[in-house]
Amino acid sequence: MPERRDEILLRSAYIVSTTGDWVFRFALPVLVLHLTGSALLTAFTYALEFVPYVLVGLFSGVIADRVDRRRLMVRCDLCSAVVVGGIALLCLLDRPPVAAVYGAAFALACMRPLYFPAFQGFLMERVPQERRAVMNAWVQGSDSLLNMLGPIAGVSVVAFLGPAAASGVNAVSFILSAVLILPTAAAPVTAATTALRASLRGMAPDLLTGFRLLFSDPVLRSGTVLLTLTNFAVHAIEANLVYVVTDATGQSTVVLGLIVAAQGAGAVAGAAAVPRLIKRFSEGALLSAGMGALAVALLAPAATADVWVLAPAWALAGAATSLIVVGWFTYRQKVIDTEYMGRAVAVNRAISFTAILPAALLGGWLAAAFTPAALFATAGVVQAIAWIATATGQVGRAGREPTPAATGDRVAG
């Protein structure tokens, strides 16, 4: 079947591209550290990954809905390959300008907000509805597995080949991803699609449509707020996990690796279980269970951040995240019409990602000024509030009744 072939090609492209990203995530910081000797400037390279989701991400959804999504993904991959190839050339210079390195890194980071809404919309075009929950679970499981194994691969490639060659490896991965996407079937152009694209006159009205789509559905509206709270709680800890484990509690980097690996293993297990769970329970039930389990996982280390508590807690957090992500994606795909998915995804991510920077800063202050227990307790309480609101509100009831897809007509008023 063409749809199953396209699904396999999309999976392969996703794996190749994401694996290359992990290599690059270590190559660039190594280069910046070598150039500047500054831990702060090195850490800033990670922050660059999230900035475009807020600055560029809102409009990227409009673009993803305007154009052929397959071509957009291919062009993003090829542009990324060119940018990363340029960084590889910069690495060969004795003293490459740091500003040029940051500029190239920011240009590369801008590709992901464009690529992801297009990927989500194209997935809906090429994967039948009955297979979407399985595909969502696979994407989440692959992300989680790569989160567990990616750092090992990234460090190894950078250690043995150096930043220049590692950047070259990532450039090749983007080219291979584009080659895998090219053979997928073009989405059929319907009368509705033609009318939609013909009606798109400016970025602002289209962007407003994305907000209206997201907030016209009560579950999506409430869920976006609750996921922003969850992002705040999780990233307050994740951004400061290295400090908590290696500095504040005096544990080794090996312990840190075990904790990160436990999170990845839990997420893989959760993603593997979701396709079966979603056949028996509604998306709202998965979201409620995931939110509650995540609250427990964040609160438990408030007693002690010892590895024997933190590792199991982080494994539970990984599994809970899989339930939340797959439940959310599956519900959103049911209620947002395919032609509008890019804008809905981009607006959703832009809003929820605004919590990451303040969460990281507040978490660092809590852990340093008080104790790690204060950090975990604060994050756990925030997540507990998100869980209670989910379980008792409309989000917890999501999926119990059929919901019509959101279209332009539904939000025109």
Side-chain angles (χ1 to χ4, degrees), residues 36 42 61 83 115 201 209 229 237 242 256 275 279 294 349-350:
T36 66
T42 302
V83 173
Y115 187 96
R201 291 289 180 262
T209 298
L229 283 179
I237 295 175
V242 172
L256 177 64
K279 293 179 180 178
L294 187 56
R349 287 168 72 86

Side-chain angles (χ1 to χ4, degrees), residues 275-301:
R276 290 187 293 273
L277 293 174
I278 208 163
K279 293 179 180 178
R280 299 181 57 188
F281 303 101
S282 67
E283 293 91 347
L286 292 184
L287 285 163
S288 296
M291 291 285 199
L294 187 56
V296 173
L298 299 185
L299 279 169

